[in-house]
């Protein structure tokens, strides 16, 4: 394509430069300013500028201004730089709500800005402010809202006034009262009347544990709360509303009263006789009214140990003197009626210190009797001896120690009150290393042999399996008292089988008095 170049030629003359030709004419533009004015206050709210070409006509769409109505769009022609004024009408007006101190007009809470509809009535209520009281709680109204406005709520500062009433004689506080007052307000102080309540804390036996007094305000009740006292159950609180004396009754705390008693009962086999023996003790503390009496009874029974005698036959000692009282009451029991020289038999079941618990076999009366008032002389019934033992051997003469060892061996005369009967009880303790094999450790065919020239032999009362969870095994032999008395002068041994093929012998030492370990 061929290009055409347009050139402007300039000719030089004596009058200057002359344009002899040009390609086109220049385009002219003007700025139009739109000014938004509040129709009521004539206050300029906003200006918007736009550029247009000369002699051209444009359509302008007004922008939205918050809280004002937006005008309709309009047409305008650009002929020169110009300003077009748009009068806009407000839809809402700003209301500044202030909170001030009525005394000095100081701001006590930041002002709150709210918008109220133009032409309408706006209502405003005061808010609560800590430490202040509003002067008036009435609602404030702005009718036919046209312009921005201010609403002010005034408050009075509050002060806490506390009254402390003090007794002139004791200087003790009788109570306090408080009230809130406004700044500049007169305060009227009134002094209430008081009444005195005397409090007596008393035990059931009449012992006064503590006394005190407290004040109550007239027309109002006061709660009397009991103090805690060791060893007593704290009673419930009481409410009073007038002067007087309030007595609070405290009972002895018997929460754990049966603990020692139950322990003693559980420590013996013959529990029925034990309960009879300890009945007076239990009565002493269960019926105790004073703490000292209760604690003394508890101390007695807590420190007591019952030794089970197994039922020994005894009688009153011949030298019994009526002045030598049984003294059973010293340990909480009733005296037994005992007559010197009467051949009544007394069966002793337990020993506790210097006393025996005995039951008269004729009268069936039981009592704690001082032990030196009773004797077993001429009465084999009731004697009990424990003897030493020697070695353990099998039938080939080899010492046996893997199975167990003799734990105790004793003889007791007078079983269940029968003076002609005796029982020999042998207790074996199982060794910890013994293996449990029920086919080999069945304790059976036990026999007791006394070397009395011709041997006297007794079979055991029963057989028993010695298992891994059984620490002790007991053999018992029942015989008459005459045969049992041979043990005091003759040697003896015990033999028994285990499994089906072997036997196990325990040789006992001579039963003379020198070898008696204990006589109980």
């Amino acid at each position: 394509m061929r290009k055409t170049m347009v050139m402007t030629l300039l000719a030089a003359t004596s009058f200057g430069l002359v344009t002899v030709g040009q390609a086109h004419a220049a385009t002219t533009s003007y700025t139009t300013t739109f000014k938004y004015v509040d129709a009521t206050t004539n206050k300029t709210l906003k200006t918007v500028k736009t550029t247009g070409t000369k002699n051209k006509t444009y359509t302008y769409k007004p922008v939205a201004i918050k809280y004002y109505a937006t005008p309709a769009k309009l047409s305008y022609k650009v002929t020169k730089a110009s300003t077009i004024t748009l009068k806009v009408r407000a839809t809402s007006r700003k209301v500044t709500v202030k909170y001030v101190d009525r005394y000095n007009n100081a701001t006590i809470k930041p002002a709150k800005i709210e918008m109220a509809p133009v032409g309408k009535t706006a209502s405003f209520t005061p808010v609560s402010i800590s430490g202040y009281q509003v002067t008036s709680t009435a609602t404030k109204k702005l009718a036919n809202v046209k312009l921005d406005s201010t609403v002010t709520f005034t408050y009075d500062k509050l002060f806490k006034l506390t009254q402390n009433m003090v007794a002139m004689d004791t200087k003790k506080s009788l109570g306090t009262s408080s009230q809130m007052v406004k700044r500049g307000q007169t305060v009227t102080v009134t002094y209430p009347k008081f009444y005195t309540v005397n409090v007596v804390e008393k035990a059931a036996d009449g012992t006064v544990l503590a006394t005190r007094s407290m004040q109550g305000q007239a027309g109002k009740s006061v709660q009397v709360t009991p103090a805690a006292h060791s060893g007593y159950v704290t009673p419930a609180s009481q409410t009073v509303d007038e002067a007087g004396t309030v007595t609070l009754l405290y009972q002895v705390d018997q929460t754990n009263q049966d603990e020692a008693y139950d322990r003693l009962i559980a420590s013996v086999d013959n529990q029925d006789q034990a309960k009879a023996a300890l009945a007076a003790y239990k009565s002493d503390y269960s019926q105790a009214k004073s703490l000292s009496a209760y604690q003394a009874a508890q101390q007695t029974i807590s420190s007591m140990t019952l030794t089970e005698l197994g039922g020994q036959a005894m009688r009153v000692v011949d030298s019994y003197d009526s002045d030598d009282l049984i003294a059973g009451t010293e340990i909480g029991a009733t005296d037994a009626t005992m007559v010197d020289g009467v051949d009544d038999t007394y069966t002793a079941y337990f020993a506790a210190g210097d006393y025996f618990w005995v039951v008269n076999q004729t009268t069936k009366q039981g009592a704690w009797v001082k032990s030196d008032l009773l004797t077993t002389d001429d009465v084999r019934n009731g004697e009990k001896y424990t003897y030493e033992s020697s070695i353990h051997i099998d039938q080939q003469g080899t010492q046996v120690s893997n199975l167990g060892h003799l734990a105790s061996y004793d003889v007791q005369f007078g079983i269940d009150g029968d003076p002609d009967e005796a029982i020999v009880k042998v207790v074996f303790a199982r060794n910890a290393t013994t293996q449990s094999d029920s086919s080999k450790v069945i304790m059976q065919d036990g026999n007791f042999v006394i070397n009395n020239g011709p041997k006297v032999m007794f079979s055991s009362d029963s057989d028993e399996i010695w298992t891994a969870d059984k620490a002790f095994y007991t053999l018992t032999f029942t015989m008459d008292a005459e045969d049992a008395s041979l043990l005091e002068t003759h040697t003896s041994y015990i033999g028994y089988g285990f499994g089906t093929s072997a036997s196990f012998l325990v040789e006992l030492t001579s039963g003379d008095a020198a070898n008696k370990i204990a006589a109980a």
Side-chain angles (χ1 to χ4, degrees), residues 76-119:
Y76 67 96
K77 184 177 182 180
V78 177
T79 58
K80 60 180 179 178
S82 61
T83 297
I84 298 175
T85 299
L86 299 176
K87 290 202 172 185
V88 292
R89 296 194 174 276
T91 57
S92 297
R93 290 298 187 183
K94 180 173 69 174
V95 179
T96 302
V97 184
K98 294 183 177 181
Y99 308 93
V100 300
D101 188 319
R102 185 167 68 92
Y103 178 75
N104 55 16
N105 210 41
T107 298
I108 60 175
K109 179 180 176 64
K112 180 181 179 182
I113 304 299
E114 296 189 19
M115 301 305 297
V118 172

Side-chain angles (χ1 to χ4, degrees), residues 3 103 137 149-150 169 183 205-206 318 323 339 341-342 359 395 440 474:
K3 295 182 179 179
Y103 178 75
T137 59
S149 304
T150 298
D169 52 353
R183 192 198 317 260
D205 66 339
D318 290 338
D323 294 332
V339 180
V342 175
V359 176
Q395 60 183 357
K440 294 182 179 181
T474 303

Side-chain angles (χ1 to χ4, degrees), residues 372-443:
D372 58 11
L373 299 182
L374 298 169
T375 182
T376 57
D377 291 345
D378 301 324
V379 181
R380 297 313 311 257
N381 189 14
E383 291 180 346
K384 181 178 180 181
Y385 295 101
T386 300
Y387 294 90
E388 292 180 332
S389 65
S390 59
I391 60 175
H392 303 203
I393 59 175
D394 62 15
Q395 60 183 357
Q396 286 80 29
T398 304
Q399 182 169 337
V400 178
S401 61
N402 66 317
L403 182 61
H405 61 277
L406 189 64
S408 66
Y409 157 50
D410 54 57
V411 181
Q412 181 177 335
F413 295 91
I415 305 304
D416 295 327
D418 185 353
D420 296 324
E421 189 175 23
I423 188 169
V424 178
K425 181 168 66 173
V426 183
V427 179
F428 296 93
R430 174 185 174 277
N431 286 344
T433 57
T434 302
Q435 299 298 316
S436 176
D437 185 345
S438 61
S439 67
K440 294 182 179 181
V441 293
I442 298 177
M443 307 296 283

Side-chain angles (χ1 to χ4, degrees), residues 239-252:
T239 301
V240 296
D241 55 8
E242 60 183 0
T245 298
V246 174
T247 300
L248 302 172
L249 190 62
Y250 288 72
Q251 300 292 341
V252 175

Side-chain angles (χ1 to χ4, degrees), residues 136-461:
S136 172
T137 59
T139 299
K140 292 189 175 183
K141 296 184 177 181
L142 294 177
N144 192 20
V145 175
K146 293 182 179 180
L147 301 174
D148 291 349
S149 304
T150 298
V151 174
T152 302
F153 290 102
T154 59
Y155 292 77
D156 289 302
K157 186 173 178 60
L158 298 178
F159 297 90
K160 183 178 182 180
L161 178 65
T162 301
Q163 303 173 72
N164 181 23
M165 280 68 75
V166 180
M168 296 182 63
D169 52 353
T170 63
K171 306 302 181 185
K172 291 184 178 179
S173 175
L174 299 178
T176 61
S177 63
S178 300
Q179 57 180 310
M180 302 301 294
V181 297
K182 298 185 293 185
R183 192 198 317 260
Q185 176 184 352
T186 301
V187 179
T188 301
V189 180
T190 57
Y191 295 94
K193 294 181 180 180
F194 292 86
Y195 58 89
T196 300
V197 179
N198 296 314
V199 181
V200 179
E201 296 174 340
K202 184 182 295 186
D205 66 339
T207 301
V208 176
L209 305 176
T211 60
R212 54 193 167 93
S213 62
M214 55 192 305
Q215 300 291 326
Q217 184 175 332
K220 295 182 179 180
S221 61
V222 63
Q223 186 176 49
V224 181
T225 302
H229 294 283
S230 179
Y232 291 94
V233 177
T234 303
S237 299
Q238 295 187 25
T239 301
V240 296
D241 55 8
E242 60 183 0
T245 298
V246 174
T247 300
L248 302 172
L249 190 62
Y250 288 72
Q251 300 292 341
V252 175
D253 185 1
Q254 299 185 357
T255 303
N256 300 316
Q257 65 176 14
D258 287 334
E259 183 177 327
Y261 171 83
D262 291 340
R263 173 180 56 78
L264 283 174
I265 297 298
S267 69
V268 296
D269 294 329
N270 193 339
Q271 296 189 353
D272 289 338
Q273 282 294 343
K275 290 176 182 178
L278 298 177
Y281 291 102
K282 186 173 183 181
S283 176
D284 282 348
Y285 66 71
S286 62
Q287 298 181 21
K289 298 299 182 183
S290 69
L291 182 60
S292 59
Y294 176 77
Q295 290 176 334
Q298 277 291 82
Q299 178 62 33
T300 299
I301 201 166
S302 296
S303 59
M304 180 182 290
T305 300
L306 289 183
T307 301
E308 197 156 19
L309 302 178
Q312 300 183 21
M314 312 188 84
R315 63 180 177 80
V316 179
V317 67
D318 290 338
S319 60
Y320 173 65
D321 188 333
S322 60
D323 294 332
D324 189 6
L325 298 178
I326 299 169
T329 52
E330 292 185 8
I331 56 171
T334 303
D335 287 344
T337 301
M338 302 179 69
V339 180
D340 187 14
V342 175
D343 291 333
D344 285 348
T345 301
Y346 294 84
T347 301
Y349 292 94
F350 307 106
D354 294 333
Y355 293 87
F356 287 162
W357 170 255
V358 299
V359 176
N360 188 312
Q361 296 305 296
T362 300
T363 65
K364 303 304 179 183
Q365 180 184 12
W368 285 100
V369 177
K370 205 165 186 180
S371 58
D372 58 11
L373 299 182
L374 298 169
T375 182
T376 57
D377 291 345
D378 301 324
V379 181
R380 297 313 311 257
N381 189 14
E383 291 180 346
K384 181 178 180 181
Y385 295 101
T386 300
Y387 294 90
E388 292 180 332
S389 65
S390 59
I391 60 175
H392 303 203
I393 59 175
D394 62 15
Q395 60 183 357
Q396 286 80 29
T398 304
Q399 182 169 337
V400 178
S401 61
N402 66 317
L403 182 61
H405 61 277
L406 189 64
S408 66
Y409 157 50
D410 54 57
V411 181
Q412 181 177 335
F413 295 91
I415 305 304
D416 295 327
D418 185 353
D420 296 324
E421 189 175 23
I423 188 169
V424 178
K425 181 168 66 173
V426 183
V427 179
F428 296 93
R430 174 185 174 277
N431 286 344
T433 57
T434 302
Q435 299 298 316
S436 176
D437 185 345
S438 61
S439 67
K440 294 182 179 181
V441 293
I442 298 177
M443 307 296 283
Q444 62 187 23
D445 301 328
N447 54 72
F448 192 93
V449 180
I450 303 174
N451 292 320
N452 182 30
K455 292 181 172 54
V456 181
M457 181 177 294
F458 303 93
S459 297
S460 60
D461 294 341

